[in-house]
């Protein structure tokens, strides 16, 4: 279902678009969690630590891939806002070709460098073998992941956020069944968990492509479009590469944080993994709103409606402030429940929960700055500004680097897990000022436009 986000009441438009994304992203977190839960319960704490220790590497790979494909789809959203059907089809074909090229290159680079990355991250010796097995298989399915993200981004760019939700729910259910089959029936351990993940994503990508081909004809290129087009490649790479780089820089920072946590042993890594999964679910609200604002601002940028862009950002900030306050009080209540899911019977729950609660206790107070990052960064990207979001990622990286360095020097677990909230605070402040600059620049670029009835209501 296509949705025009350039007119109408803003609040229900954002809410209607965001809710399917939120539910879908939560399900994506759940099927990522399924690997950790099933591995922890049926293989053991060390296997859980192995999967958890590779989470930041997985974030690096998938973050780079997601940033790249989201950047490719910005052009589609802008052409949709401009009502340019020929431009939409050119952007889709061009994006699919560029995804194949960049995906193959990324997969080769990661496969070559994975062993060195695991060593640099201080991966404990007792989990090194399982960690390498898990992340190598995940890397082998990177192209399938990229195409699912690309097709989802294309659908979102024309206002369809429901279909990706249905496909994610299906993938989550499929992943759980495959996890249980590979790990319990076939005794494949962490390799089975990784294989279940990439197969689920591959099936989702195929189903998403079939849906677009049958139901969203404006996204289906004609024969003449299947080639690299100069102007489209320039715009898509201009957006995709910085967005991928920004994601990679952010992920590199989390890898540094993981390296600091790894210094405290397998139990600390396992507990941090569980706490990170709980936090990851709660963060899907701001993340989903960021995805929403990329499409919303992309369409309104295409229609050159600056007042509507500003009003949309203000509405999104209000919505996520309320959400963040609720999550601040919900987070500590979820951790004891999560511990029972992640850790097998007989585990030292007191020690594990002690490690986990330190991270939850710090991070839950910084969800509002985190919301600012997602909203402002995605809004800028939707308006074709790529360098400022990249600068935001650099600020996150260096904040994590400094805090992690102090943690390793002082052997402080508190500082190791404080890397995330410290980065959210510094980057959140930066993004606020960066958007003020973008707003002024847009005013110069296409001038102030008088608000219409849709802009005046929120």
């Amino acid at each position: 279902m296509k949705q025009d986000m350039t007119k109408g009441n803003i609040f229900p438009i954002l809410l209607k678009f965001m809710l399917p994304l939120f539910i879908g992203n939560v399900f994506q977190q759940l099927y990522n969690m399924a690997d950790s839960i099933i591995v922890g319960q049926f293989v053991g704490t060390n296997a859980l630590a192995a999967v958890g220790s590779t989470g930041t590497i997985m974030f690096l790979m998938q973050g780079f891939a997601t940033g790249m494909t989201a950047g490719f789809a910005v052009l589609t959203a802008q052409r949709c806002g401009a009502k340019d059907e020929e431009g939409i089809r050119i952007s889709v074909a061009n994006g699919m070709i560029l995804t194949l090229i960049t995906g193959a290159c990324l997969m080769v680079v990661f496969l070559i460098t994975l062993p060195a990355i695991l060593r640099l991250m201080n991966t404990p010796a007792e989990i090194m073998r399982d960690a390498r097995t898990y992340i190598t298989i995940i890397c082998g399915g990177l192209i399938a992941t990229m195409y699912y993200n690309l097709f989802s981004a294309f659908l979102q760019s024309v206002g369809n956020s429901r279909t990706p939700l249905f496909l994610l729910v299906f993938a989550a259910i499929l992943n759980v069944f495959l996890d249980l089959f590979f790990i319990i029936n076939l005794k494949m351990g962490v390799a089975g968990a990784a294989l279940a993940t990439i197969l689920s994503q591959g099936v989702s990508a195929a189903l998403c492509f079939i849906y677009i081909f049958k139901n969203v004809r404006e996204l289906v290129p004609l024969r003449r479009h299947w080639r690299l087009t100069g102007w489209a490649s320039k715009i898509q790479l201009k957006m995709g590469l910085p967005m991928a780089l920004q994601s990679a820089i952010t992920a590199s920072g989390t890898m540094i944080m993981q390296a600091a946590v790894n210094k405290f042993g397998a139990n600390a890594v396992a507990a941090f993994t569980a706490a990170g999964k709980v936090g990851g679910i709660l963060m899907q609200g701001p993340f989903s709103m960021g995805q929403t604002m990329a499409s919303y601002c992309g369409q309104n940028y295409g229609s050159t409606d600056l007042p509507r862009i500003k009003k949309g950002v203000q509405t999104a900030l209000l919505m996520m402030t309320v959400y963040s306050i609720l999550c601040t009080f919900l987070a500590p209540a979820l951790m004891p429940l999560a511990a029972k899911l992640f850790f097998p019977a007989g585990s030292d729950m007191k020690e594990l929960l002690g490690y986990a609660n330190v991270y939850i206790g710090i991070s839950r107070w910084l969800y509002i700055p985190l919301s600012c990052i997602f909203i402002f960064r995605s809004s800028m990207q939707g308006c074709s500004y790529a360098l400022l979001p990249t600068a935001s990622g650099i600020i996150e990286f260096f904040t994590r680097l400094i805090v992690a360095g102090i943690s390793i020097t002082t052997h402080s677990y508190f500082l190791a897990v404080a890397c995330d909230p410290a980065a959210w605070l510094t980057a959140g402040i930066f993004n606020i000022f960066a958007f003020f600059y973008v707003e002024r620049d847009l005013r110069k670029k296409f001038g102030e436009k008088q608000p219409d009835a849709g802009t005046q209501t929120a």
Side-chain angles (χ1 to χ4, degrees):
M1 182 180 65
K2 182 177 177 180
Q3 182 177 353
D4 186 351
M5 306 175 83
T6 62
K7 56 187 177 183
N9 197 315
I10 295 174
F11 175 80
I13 286 175
L14 295 183
L15 184 63
K16 181 180 178 181
F17 192 87
M18 189 203 77
L19 280 178
L21 291 175
F22 174 72
I23 297 171
N25 287 327
V26 168
F27 266 95
Q28 187 166 31
Q29 288 295 309
L30 289 175
Y31 88 69
N32 288 336
M33 282 176 63
D35 288 352
S36 300
I37 292 172
I38 295 172
V39 165
Q41 291 290 341
F42 294 100
V43 187
T45 301
N46 277 1
L48 170 62
V51 172
S53 69
T54 64
T56 52
I57 305 177
M58 192 171 172
F59 178 39
L60 172 63
M61 291 191 297
Q62 295 187 343
F64 200 99
T66 301
M68 184 74 74
T69 53
F72 293 166
V74 167
L75 176 61
T76 310
Q78 293 175 351
R79 292 301 86 207
C80 178
K83 308 297 187 293
D84 177 10
E85 291 192 7
E86 180 72 6
I88 291 174
R89 290 191 170 96
I90 291 173
S91 72
V92 169
N94 214 74
M96 290 180 66
I97 297 170
L98 289 177
T99 296
L100 179 62
I101 296 170
T102 55
C105 293
L106 284 174
M107 189 171 66
V108 171
V109 170
F110 280 122
L111 286 173
I112 292 172
T113 58
L114 280 176
I117 293 174
L118 287 169
R119 289 193 298 270
L120 286 172
M121 289 179 60
N122 301 316
T123 305
E126 63 267 32
I127 65 174
M128 175 64 83
R129 182 177 178 181
D130 278 347
R132 182 170 179 177
T133 298
Y134 181 82
I135 198 61
T136 299
I137 296 173
I138 292 293
C139 183
L142 185 60
I143 292 180
T145 301
M146 288 187 71
Y147 270 111
Y148 169 73
N149 289 328
L150 181 71
F151 296 146
S152 295
F154 283 151
L155 286 171
Q156 292 163 19
S157 69
V158 296
N160 184 339
S161 61
R162 293 185 181 181
T163 301
L165 162 64
F166 298 140
L167 293 174
L168 268 177
V169 171
F170 173 79
I173 296 171
L174 177 62
N175 185 65
V176 170
F177 279 107
L178 291 176
D179 268 333
L180 294 170
F181 177 72
F182 290 142
I183 294 174
I184 298 176
N185 292 73
L186 300 185
K187 309 295 183 184
M188 293 178 64
V190 297
L195 187 59
T197 297
I198 64 171
L199 285 176
S200 300
Q201 291 176 339
V203 171
S204 296
L207 292 176
C208 201
F209 174 78
I210 293 170
Y211 176 85
I212 289 174
F213 185 80
K214 289 187 174 182
N215 299 285
V216 194
R217 298 303 299 177
E218 64 264 35
L219 289 177
V220 179
L222 304 177
R223 180 177 297 180
R224 67 176 183 273
H225 300 131
W226 288 108
R227 59 185 177 85
L228 286 176
T229 304
W231 67 267
S233 296
K234 181 179 179 180
I235 294 174
Q236 288 180 319
L237 290 173
K238 179 183 175 182
M239 292 304 303
L241 287 174
M243 289 173 70
L245 180 61
Q246 177 266 314
S247 296
I249 292 170
T250 301
S252 298
T254 63
M255 290 170 65
I256 293 171
M257 178 179 68
Q258 185 69 57
V261 173
N262 287 348
K263 284 284 189 179
F264 295 89
N267 275 357
V269 175
F272 177 69
T273 298
K277 297 297 185 183
V278 171
I281 288 180
L282 297 177
M283 291 175 199
Q284 295 315 300
F287 179 71
S288 302
M289 183 57 79
Q291 291 177 300
T292 300
M293 294 309 294
S295 296
Y296 173 87
C297 290
Q299 287 195 22
N300 285 283
Y301 177 85
S303 65
T304 66
D305 193 340
L306 177 57
R308 188 171 176 83
I309 291 173
K310 291 165 56 179
K311 192 65 176 179
V313 170
Q314 293 167 4
T315 304
L317 284 172
L318 178 60
M319 294 168 68
M320 285 302 101
T321 298
V322 174
Y323 175 89
S324 298
I325 293 172
L326 292 175
C327 289
T328 297
F329 297 99
L330 181 61
L334 292 177
M335 198 58 241
L337 299 175
K340 296 178 181 179
L341 292 174
F342 283 99
F343 307 127
S347 300
D348 186 347
M349 288 293 184
K350 184 177 180 180
E351 180 187 13
L352 291 166
L353 272 175
Y355 281 124
N357 285 333
V358 174
Y359 175 72
I360 290 293
I362 303 170
S363 62
R364 69 191 183 105
W365 298 106
L366 276 300
Y367 288 148
I368 291 178
L370 178 64
S371 297
C372 290
I373 294 174
F374 285 119
I375 291 171
F376 287 120
R377 186 174 66 196
S378 297
S379 297
M380 290 187 286
Q381 289 167 341
C383 296
S384 289
Y385 290 81
L387 293 182
L388 286 172
T390 302
S392 168
I394 294 173
I395 289 172
E396 286 188 64
F397 173 83
F398 279 106
T399 302
R400 288 188 175 94
L401 177 64
I402 293 168
V403 177
I406 298 173
S407 164
I408 293 172
T409 302
T410 60
H411 200 68
S412 168
Y413 178 78
F414 177 89
L415 288 176
V417 298
C419 292
D420 263 352
W424 300 342
L425 180 60
T426 55
I429 293 171
F430 171 82
N431 275 279
I432 293 172
F433 288 100
F435 187 77
F436 288 154
Y437 165 79
V438 167
E439 181 186 329
R440 290 195 301 269
D441 195 54
L442 286 177
R443 191 177 298 119
K444 296 176 183 176
K445 183 176 294 185
F446 46 71
E448 278 286 6
K449 178 179 176 181
Q450 290 301 314
D452 57 19
T455 302
Q456 293 174 8
T457 57

